[in-house]
Amino acid sequence: QVQLVESGGGLVQAGGSLRLSCAASRSIFSFNAMGWYRQAPGKQRELVARIISGGGTDYADFVKGRFTISRDNAKNTIDLQMNSLKAEDTGVYYCNVFFRTFAYWGQGTQVTVSS
């Protein structure tokens, strides 16, 4: 079992920045993959960024150059630095990890970008 708790969401003006953090209940070394997804109102959940086995990163085209995913092994957190935010980045952001063939999700954190 893995528990994930997201934090760092909020309201920000377009062009601003936010940093999301996902705290895991066990060592992130044990995860096969970890990442962030988002879901806007009326839309499907979509990948934002992820760290894959071997340490590589993968970003959705719509966040490349603006968002950075990172891991803190000492704190067991997966962070998402979001810069140059746009109104279309508004949504609920979810942390996701794969552990022993199962996918685990956090409860989500709301990000609202005002234009």
Side-chain angles (χ1 to χ4, degrees):
Q1 283 285 348
V2 179
Q3 282 76 49
L4 303 170
V5 179
E6 300 103 333
S7 61
L11 173 64
V12 64
Q13 288 189 333
S17 298
L18 282 175
R19 187 176 183 87
L20 306 183
S21 187
C22 172
S25 61
R26 62 182 299 132
S27 172
I28 61 175
F29 278 116
S30 59
F31 300 150
N32 303 106
M34 58 199 85
W36 286 91
Y37 288 70
R38 74 184 186 190
Q39 188 165 19
K43 295 187 176 181
Q44 290 189 330
R45 193 172 298 187
E46 60 186 355
L47 173 69
V48 175
R50 62 183 176 179
I51 299 173
I52 58 179
S53 179
T57 56
D58 186 26
Y59 293 91
D61 286 343
F62 51 77
V63 302
K64 283 182 180 177
R66 300 189 297 125
F67 292 11
T68 303
I69 190 171
S70 62
R71 59 192 292 172
D72 188 323
N73 296 329
K75 296 181 179 179
N76 290 324
T77 61
I78 305 146
D79 300 326
L80 185 68
Q81 178 65 42
M82 307 187 295
N83 299 327
S84 302
L85 283 161
K86 306 175 182 179
E88 51 263 44
D89 293 320
T90 294
V92 179
Y93 283 68
Y94 296 91
C95 180
N96 164 267
V97 302
F98 280 91
F99 174 65
R100 294 179 182 173
T101 75
F102 288 97
Y104 294 88
W105 296 89
Q107 82 287 352
T109 185
Q110 176 70 44
V111 171
T112 303
V113 184
S114 63
S115 57

